[in-house]
Amino acid sequence: ENRWNATNRVGYSNPTVDELWPKVLGTVDDHQREGYLVEVLKAMTADAVVNVTHLQPRPMAYREGLTGPTESWVGESALLWNVWEWHWK
């Protein structure tokens, strides 16, 4: 009726999500951003908006003394993406 065409097509609104989502998108520190995201997901789950049905853990084991293995970036599918940077202490 009013030609509204935003991305929130279902019209979902939650004050907690509205407050924290900009912080999720704008926080540089990984640990702080993760905390905001957890709170957003809790709020959305409580409202039955989302239901986390599966997780995709990416465990990686390596021996003490080896430096270099790091978590890959979100779009990377390989676990050994920076192997050329690894070295033994």
Side-chain angles (χ1 to χ4, degrees):
E1 185 175 296
N2 64 4
R3 298 178 189 227
W4 183 64
N5 63 358
T7 58
N8 185 3
R9 295 180 189 263
V10 297
Y12 174 71
S13 179
N14 178 306
T16 302
V17 175
D18 293 343
E19 175 190 342
L20 293 177
W21 191 248
K23 294 178 182 179
V24 170
L25 298 177
T27 302
V28 176
D29 179 55
D30 291 341
H31 296 292
Q32 190 176 13
R33 183 176 58 245
E34 186 176 276
Y36 291 140
L37 184 58
V38 167
E39 292 305 314
V40 166
L41 289 173
K42 283 182 183 178
M44 292 177 79
T45 302
D47 288 346
V49 174
V50 295
N51 187 7
V52 180
T53 58
H54 66 281
L55 298 174
Q56 296 177 338
R58 297 177 54 140
M60 182 178 201
Y62 54 93
R63 191 174 151 186
E64 184 179 356
L66 179 64
T67 59
T70 60
E71 185 176 339
S72 58
W73 59 281
V74 176
E76 181 63 48
S77 59
L79 289 175
L80 305 176
W81 68 277
N82 69 334
V83 69
W84 58 89
E85 296 174 350
W86 298 9
H87 61 277
W88 292 103
K89 288 183 182 178

